[in-house]
Amino acid sequence: AQSVSQHNHHVILSEAASLELGCNYSYGGTVNLFWYVQYPGQHLQLLLKYFSGDPLVKGIKGFEAEFIKSKFSFNLRKPSVQWSDTAEYFCAVLMDTGRRALTFGSGTRLQVQP
Amino acid sequence: EAQVTQNPRYLITVTGKKLTVTCSQNMNHEYMSWYRQDPGLGLRQIYYSMNVEVTDKGDVPEGYKVSRKEKRNFPLILESPSPNQTSLYFCASKINRVATEAFFGQGTRLTVV
């Protein structure tokens, strides 16, 4: 079955540290890739997305992600995190299967300490 | 403003008491779906609907029902809630089945005691 794996469940960083969150998926067909952020008590917001073209995509709030097709990965990065980045981050994959539903990873809780 | 609206935002109920969580979108989207979010499991799709009167099971449909009588509304029905349905629920919509970007509601935190 298709799946999405986020290996970091809880990450604690100090402000100004660099961030990289891993995301791997298992599906051999065409995919669209997303990172969503969920701030405490809020709904999911789209950070960035990859459809095609340049595998390095830039999103809002200084985040970027790189699609490496050979590794089935779509890791999220930010050079310097801020306290306001404290949130839960979800990787999601849209596969070209029948119901075209987003498949989500289990999420990574990021805690940034001032 | 384009949005997906869920009600209620918070609900505490007792086992076996039927409840409905409403979802409405104002974007004329064809495709709507329900997810539940549980710690360590991410979001899992419960049911989806490709259009009016067209609904189908997602990954975790047991214990839930849905209906799609109008394009804008997609209520989630729990006929006999149980404690294992305590979760955070999200409704989402997108233009159609092949569209790539989904819009999410604010979430409904349900507790079944």
Side-chain angles (χ1 to χ4, degrees):
Chain A
Q2 301 92 359
S3 68
V4 180
S5 300
Q6 290 181 243
H7 304 294
N8 313 103
H9 299 295
H10 190 191
V11 173
I12 302 174
L13 295 173
S14 298
E15 275 194 312
S18 65
L19 169 72
E20 180 159 3
L21 302 182
C23 173
N24 288 89
Y25 63 94
S26 60
Y27 181 67
T30 301
V31 295
N32 299 125
L33 301 158
F34 305 81
W35 274 98
Y36 284 88
V37 60
Q38 186 180 32
Y39 297 104
Q42 296 191 25
H43 66 297
L44 291 166
Q45 299 174 40
L46 183 65
L47 262 185
L48 48 79
K49 57 191 177 186
Y50 171 79
F51 294 159
S52 63
D54 188 344
L56 184 62
V57 293
K58 294 190 184 303
I60 60 172
K61 305 186 182 190
F63 286 90
E64 64 179 31
E66 184 176 13
F67 171 47
I68 303 179
K69 191 173 182 179
S70 60
K71 294 185 178 180
F72 298 90
S73 70
F74 189 56
N75 293 354
L76 180 71
R77 299 195 292 250
K78 185 170 184 178
S80 176
V81 296
Q82 301 172 315
W83 177 78
S84 58
D85 293 324
T86 294
E88 190 153 17
Y89 293 81
F90 293 93
C91 178
V93 179
L94 187 63
M95 304 167 199
D96 60 353
T97 57
R99 62 184 157 105
R100 295 280 291 177
L102 281 169
T103 299
F104 285 85
S106 57
T108 297
R109 186 176 299 279
L110 172 65
Q111 186 178 343
V112 180
Q113 297 177 330
Chain B
E1 181 189 351
Q3 58 186 3
V4 179
T5 304
Q6 294 178 229
N7 279 295
R9 294 288 312 279
Y10 302 91
L11 179 60
I12 301 174
T13 190
V14 296
T15 299
K17 186 177 180 181
K18 181 180 178 180
L19 67 91
T20 300
V21 183
T22 64
C23 174
S24 180
Q25 49 91 6
N26 62 0
M27 296 170 279
N28 202 36
H29 285 175
E30 291 181 355
Y31 189 108
M32 297 183 74
S33 58
W34 277 101
Y35 291 84
R36 61 177 287 173
Q37 181 184 358
D38 301 292
L41 297 175
L43 280 80
R44 295 174 293 168
Q45 193 184 56
I46 302 170
Y47 267 94
Y48 67 100
S49 168
M50 293 200 194
N51 214 325
V52 176
E53 301 291 4
V54 181
T55 64
D56 209 343
K57 297 176 181 178
D59 297 311
V60 288
E62 294 76 21
Y64 304 95
K65 284 175 56 177
V66 292
S67 70
R68 188 90 183 274
K69 293 182 169 47
E70 306 164 282
K71 201 171 189 179
R72 63 183 292 124
N73 296 323
F74 189 46
L76 179 69
I77 303 155
L78 285 72
E79 294 270 2
S80 183
S82 62
N84 64 12
Q85 292 178 297
T86 292
S87 188
L88 180 58
Y89 292 86
F90 287 100
C91 180
S93 75
K94 56 181 184 173
I95 294 173
N96 53 38
R97 185 186 73 86
V98 299
T100 51
E101 188 162 349
F103 297 81
F104 286 83
Q106 296 276 69
T108 295
R109 184 166 294 282
L110 172 66
T111 302
V112 184
V113 298

